Amino acid sequence: MADLENMSLDENLAVRSARMRLLREFDDRLDAETIDSILSASWEHIDATARLKAHVPLLAERFARAQLWAVARMRGHHDGVPAVLFVDTHDAGRARMAKAMFIRRAGTKGFALSAGTDPNAALDGAVGAVMEEIGITTTDSFPKPYTQEILQAADVIVTFPDGAVVPIPDGAQHEHWDVRDPRERTPEELRAIREDLSARVDDLITRLGITP
């Protein structure tokens, strides 16, 4: 577990509450030691990189949940739902946009995560605005790194231009989408990027055999 003795009372309560939620969610697939270890590592990572410390409890729990999902899947607890990982440089543009679209359209019949090779940038407000235009909110996500566990657990890994090289595991389906970087684009350019991603996401959902 995270170092509770050196935490404030609020942080102490937050990490204990997160642990209880994760134990309830994963106790049929993972042991308490694994859950504690991953939560602790996730907390330490987010605490070291978060710009706003008040967000650490929520972000650490979300990061731990993704890691636990991946570990459980690697250990044979596969629910049969296709999982897609979108990887961009900062996890602040194309990957996050594509993930949000995939989740909205696939529903419970698909699973998606996004990650970055250098996740150190916040989502551009203009990107969030063009996503809001189609009724999709991206502000509840946050930049995060990919991990070997998540790479191994994904059925499909989608990468984009201008990102660092991602080690694709044997057996994983890899697609490279030639979509422009949305940084510093006009609203019209962002809408074109959004529509490009939208068409590609719809095509991927169809190829995965996911029906609404």
Side-chain angles (χ1 to χ4, degrees):
M1 281 291 292
D3 188 358
L4 299 178
E5 292 185 358
N6 292 324
M7 289 183 173
S8 68
L9 178 59
D10 287 345
E11 289 175 325
N12 195 302
L13 291 173
V15 73
R16 290 181 185 277
S17 297
R19 179 179 186 269
M20 292 304 299
R21 285 190 290 270
L22 294 172
L23 283 170
R24 286 195 298 269
E25 187 173 342
F26 290 95
D27 65 352
D28 60 335
R29 289 166 284 170
L30 299 171
D31 58 83
E33 182 178 356
T34 298
I35 293 171
D36 287 348
S37 176
I38 289 176
L39 176 58
S40 180
S42 298
W43 192 285
E44 290 176 5
H45 172 79
I46 297 298
D47 187 48
T49 58
R51 296 180 179 182
L52 297 176
K53 294 302 181 181
H55 293 171
V56 169
L58 175 62
L59 301 184
E61 182 176 347
R62 288 180 178 176
F63 189 40
R65 182 171 284 106
Q67 288 285 91
L68 291 167
W69 164 84
V71 170
R73 196 174 172 100
M74 289 173 61
R75 293 185 182 181
H77 299 284
H78 199 300
D79 55 10
V81 173
V84 181
L85 173 64
F86 297 97
V87 185
D88 204 345
T89 305
H90 299 305
D91 189 21
R94 294 164 292 191
R96 206 187 303 188
M97 294 167 74
K99 179 194 74 171
M101 291 177 185
F102 186 95
I103 291 173
R104 166 66 67 86
R105 295 167 189 176
T108 60
K109 298 180 180 179
F111 185 76
L113 293 168
S114 67
T117 56
D118 182 23
N120 62 356
L123 180 70
D124 187 306
V127 172
V130 298
M131 293 298 287
E132 291 281 359
E133 290 176 354
I134 59 172
I136 297 178
T137 299
T138 53
T139 54
D140 59 350
S141 188
F142 68 100
K144 51 197 168 297
Y146 71 83
T147 65
Q148 289 302 315
E149 291 81 8
I150 290 176
L151 285 173
Q152 291 286 345
D155 297 304
V156 182
I157 299 171
V158 177
T159 55
F160 298 91
D162 307 317
V165 176
V166 177
I168 306 301
D170 292 339
Q173 177 182 334
H174 174 224
E175 300 188 5
H176 188 72
W177 291 2
D178 189 14
V179 178
R180 291 182 297 166
D181 191 326
R183 287 180 296 177
E184 300 180 359
R185 302 286 183 180
T186 66
E188 291 74 19
E189 290 173 323
L190 287 173
R191 292 186 184 102
I193 292 169
R194 180 191 67 196
E195 295 311 305
D196 187 2
L197 285 169
S198 178
R200 292 171 186 269
V201 167
D202 284 345
D203 176 65
L204 177 57
I205 287 174
T206 298
R207 288 186 285 111
L208 289 173
I210 298 173
T211 55

